[in-house]
Amino acid sequence: MKAQLLLAGIAFGLAGISACTGHQSNSEEKTVDIWKDYPVGYIVFDDQAPETEGSKVYHRIVTHPQDYIAEQARTVLATLYDAPSDSIVPVDTIHYSLQDIEGVSAKDGGNGVVSIFYSTRHIEKSFAANDTAKLFFETRGVLLHELTHAYQLEPQGIGSYGTNRVFWAFIEGMADAVRVENGGFTPADRPKGGNYMDGYRTAGYFFVWLKNNKDKNFLRKFNRSTLEVVPWSFDGAIKYALGEEYDIDSLWHEYQVAVGDIKE
C-alpha cells in the first residue's frame, strides 16, 4: 500500500526532538521505557540524489537519519501497541531513500521489508521560506504517518487496500491518528465535516477524539480489533474497542457536534 503525503527532514539531534514538537504524549513517554530496546528493523538510508539542493538541506538538518527514523518508529509502536509482547507486524528492514522525483513520500513493500521514498523536490519546496521549525514539524508528522503503515495491523476478510474503501479508510485514518496523537498536526489542520470513510485527517482526528473522550486505550484497541473482528468493519471494531452499546455513526455524530461542525 502507499500513502502519498508530505515529507521533509530535520533533526536538531535526538535530544531535541521532543522539545521541538511542543507536545509529548503518553505514547512518547512510554517510548522511553519499554520500547527503547525494541528492534524496529535494520534501517538503510540511501541518498539517490546527493547533487540536489533538497539533499543538501536534508543532510544539514538531519544529521543521523537512521537514529531519527528509529526514534519515530518507537513512538509509532508505543501508540499502536500495549507492549513489545503484543502481536506486532514484523519489520526486518526499512529502506529509506532520497529521490529527485515528483511527488512527496510513499511507503511500499511488505513481508518484513518496507521502502519509503522522500522527494528532494518536495524538500526544496517545503524549505522555500527557510523555516526550519516548520520543516521539522512537517517531517516528523509525515514520517509518523508513513511508519504507521509499516507497523499497523490490517483488516481481515474484506479485501485489500486497493479493493475495499473500508480497508483503505481504516489504514489511512489510523496513520493520521498516530500523527495527530503525537503532535504531528496543528488544531487548524483538522478538516471540518466529511465522514470517517474519508480516511486521513478526517478519520484521524475522530479516532483521537474517541481516545480522548471514550477510552484512553482506544487507538491500541482499534488497531488490535483487526485480529479479533473478522470480517472487519468499523462498527464491529467500535463495539470491540468501546462496548456493544456504541455504534460508529452515532459516535461520528456526537463528535461532529462536540467539535462544532454541526448543531445538535
Side-chain angles (χ1 to χ4, degrees), residues 60-113:
R60 286 202 303 269
I61 57 184
V62 181
T63 54
H64 302 287
Q66 288 95 337
D67 291 341
Y68 180 68
I69 293 166
E71 180 75 9
Q72 304 316 311
R74 292 188 173 97
T75 295
V76 168
L77 286 160
T79 308
L80 291 175
Y81 298 97
D82 289 310
S85 58
D86 287 354
S87 297
I88 300 174
V89 176
V91 176
D92 301 317
T93 305
I94 299 174
H95 292 277
Y96 184 86
S97 63
L98 301 183
Q99 299 182 33
D100 182 13
I101 57 176
E102 290 298 328
V104 181
S105 170
K107 172 265 178 185
D108 204 354
N111 297 318
V113 180

Side-chain angles (χ1 to χ4, degrees), residues 86-226:
D86 287 354
S87 297
I88 300 174
V89 176
V91 176
D92 301 317
T93 305
I94 299 174
H95 292 277
Y96 184 86
S97 63
L98 301 183
Q99 299 182 33
D100 182 13
I101 57 176
E102 290 298 328
V104 181
S105 170
K107 172 265 178 185
D108 204 354
N111 297 318
V113 180
V114 171
S115 297
I116 297 173
F117 86 79
Y118 180 17
S119 169
T120 57
R121 299 180 194 182
H122 182 69
I123 297 173
E124 294 165 16
K125 293 175 184 176
S126 300
F127 198 58
N130 296 320
D131 188 340
T132 13
K134 181 178 179 181
L135 186 56
F136 168 75
F137 186 82
E138 187 71 12
T139 296
R140 180 174 177 273
V142 178
L143 186 56
L144 288 170
H145 179 109
E146 301 294 355
L147 288 170
T148 299
H149 287 324
Y151 296 103
Q152 70 188 136
L153 296 168
E154 298 182 355
Q156 301 180 70
I158 60 169
S160 65
Y161 180 91
T163 64
N164 186 283
R165 187 169 178 81
V166 171
F167 190 118
W168 172 89
F170 170 81
I171 292 295
E172 297 299 351
M174 281 296 286
D176 268 0
V178 171
R179 180 173 177 175
V180 172
E181 170 64 8
N182 291 286
F185 282 121
T186 70
D189 290 322
R190 186 189 69 82
K192 293 184 178 181
N195 185 271
Y196 57 87
M197 286 291 290
D198 296 336
Y200 288 108
R201 287 177 294 151
T202 303
Y205 276 88
F206 173 47
F207 297 161
V208 173
W209 181 87
L210 291 171
K211 178 260 179 185
N212 290 336
N213 292 276
K214 301 300 180 182
D215 187 327
K216 65 180 182 180
N217 292 312
F218 175 78
L219 294 178
R220 298 183 187 118
K221 290 180 178 179
F222 206 49
N223 183 53
R224 190 168 65 245
S225 73
T226 60

